[in-house]
Amino acid sequence: MRENQISTGKIIDGKEVFAVELTNTRGSKVKIYNYGAIISEFVITNAKGEKQDVILGFDDFDGYINEDYLANYPYLGVVVGRYSNRIKDGKFTIDGKEYQMTKNLHGGDTGFDKKVWDILPTIDPSLTLQYISKSGEENFPGTLTVQLTFKLSDEDELILDYKATTDEATAINLTHHTYFNLNKDGGSVGQHHHRMPASNYLEQDTDYVVTGKLIPVEGTIHDFLGGKLIGQNWDPAEGYDQSYILDKKYGEFGMASETTEHTSGLKLEVFTTEPVAHFYTSKYLDVANAKGGKDYHPFDAFCVETQHYPNSINIPEFPATVLLPGQTYHQTTVFKVSK
């Protein structure tokens, strides 16, 4: 694995934006920006011997800060924090004090996805990004120091390793919002075959906020235990936007999902230490002039967002998402592409 750092020529909030490329012995390549920790490319060789990029995004950095794109912002390829998914009414209480967030998705108006992260020196060819979120940012308590390390193995595994510490009790639930399509020509992911080792999913209210109730997948459209085409049972107007509880011990590293596409012969496996995978088939995706001049439409991608239980900050019986001083938040997620 090698790394290559290239300036985009852009300065945001006084910091320079770089693209960092990681490559391996197979000739695969991953491109990551230190703005938003965006995974912009994941290029591998498919079963036909063709180079194929399995990530949705833009050809250059300007696309990610374009006003039209931001007006209908889908979080393409970004890290999400301090708190992913949705918090009920944007409120939570820690140590008897209530905190009111912007009632918004994925960490507020200006989350970790719109920050320029510092590039830290590393010994091996990998990329470690750091962002220090000051106390009060987006109304979250505590100064939170986050480090996210990316590695590309010679087995085409993209490894994301997160660590965070705080000086005051705070809420944290990080994830990565990478959009995948394993068909070289793009289009709907309805014909991708998807499997998830998850016997239960989390009930959501009309605002997609998790209520605390677990529902068995058996007999529902959410049953991916044996694997099926994504579009086999979905509501074609809604797709999937659902959190699944993975069938593994809490904190254990294990499989979150396995997705295959027959024309490319590619398979994406996702492994994680996190207890939940949020499966999203991009209902709200609407992006013009993306990679290669393509437009992206609803259901043209899927996301497997590994995380803790959404809204668990407000549901005591769920695993805690409060980080205390002296503790280290740590999670690892791996995206492995094979054929």
Side-chain angles (χ1 to χ4, degrees), residues 194 196 198-203 213-235 239-240 242-245 279:
H194 188 71
M196 298 184 78
S199 298
N200 295 279
Y201 69 97
L202 293 169
E203 181 185 66
K213 181 180 178 182
L214 279 61
I215 303 175
V217 300
E218 186 178 0
T220 76
I221 65 170
H222 299 289
D223 188 350
F224 287 97
L225 284 167
K228 63 183 178 182
L229 296 180
I230 290 175
Q232 181 173 316
N233 303 126
W234 70 1
D235 177 340
Y240 291 96
Q242 200 75 46
S243 293
Y244 294 80
I245 302 171
F279 182 51

Side-chain angles (χ1 to χ4, degrees), residues 74-121:
Y75 298 88
L76 275 184
V78 299
V79 71
V80 174
R82 282 188 198 193
Y83 210 97
S84 61
N85 222 302
R86 300 162 177 90
I87 297 174
K88 180 69 173 178
D89 296 325
K91 295 179 182 178
F92 61 84
T93 300
I94 296 179
D95 295 335
K97 182 177 179 180
E98 184 178 271
Y99 295 90
Q100 177 68 61
M101 311 292 108
T102 303
K103 192 178 177 183
N104 198 357
L105 179 66
H106 290 329
D109 285 333
T110 310
F112 291 0
D113 53 295
K114 293 191 178 79
K115 304 296 184 182
V116 181
W117 294 50
D118 296 320
I119 299 175
L120 300 186

Side-chain angles (χ1 to χ4, degrees), residues 115-160:
K115 304 296 184 182
V116 181
W117 294 50
D118 296 320
I119 299 175
L120 300 186
T122 54
I123 297 173
D124 57 351
S126 60
L127 169 65
T128 296
L129 301 177
Q130 177 174 281
Y131 179 66
I132 299 175
S133 176
K134 298 293 186 183
S135 182
E137 183 176 288
E138 293 295 325
N139 291 332
F140 282 93
T143 295
L144 185 76
T145 301
V146 184
Q147 292 184 359
L148 173 52
T149 298
F150 297 88
K151 293 182 181 180
L152 178 62
S153 79
D154 286 332
E155 287 71 46
D156 287 339
E157 299 163 314
L158 178 57
I159 303 160
L160 281 64

Side-chain angles (χ1 to χ4, degrees), residues 168-226:
E168 185 181 345
T170 194
I172 182 172
N173 193 8
L174 304 177
T175 192
H176 211 279
H177 212 301
T178 315
Y179 285 74
F180 291 96
N181 189 314
L182 304 181
N183 186 310
K184 194 169 188 292
D185 297 321
S188 171
V189 295
Q191 293 301 302
H192 285 51
H193 188 273
H194 188 71
R195 180 172 70 86
M196 298 184 78
S199 298
N200 295 279
Y201 69 97
L202 293 169
E203 181 185 66
Q204 297 172 160
D205 64 20
T206 54
D207 293 323
Y208 299 95
V209 177
V210 165
T211 66
K213 181 180 178 182
L214 279 61
I215 303 175
V217 300
E218 186 178 0
T220 76
I221 65 170
H222 299 289
D223 188 350
F224 287 97
L225 284 167

Side-chain angles (χ1 to χ4, degrees), residues 270-295:
V270 182
F271 302 90
T272 189
T273 55
E274 293 296 274
V276 165
H278 189 90
F279 182 51
Y280 175 52
T281 54
S282 59
K283 172 186 175 180
Y284 299 104
L285 185 63
D286 182 14
V287 177
N289 197 28
K291 285 182 184 176
K294 284 185 178 180
D295 296 338

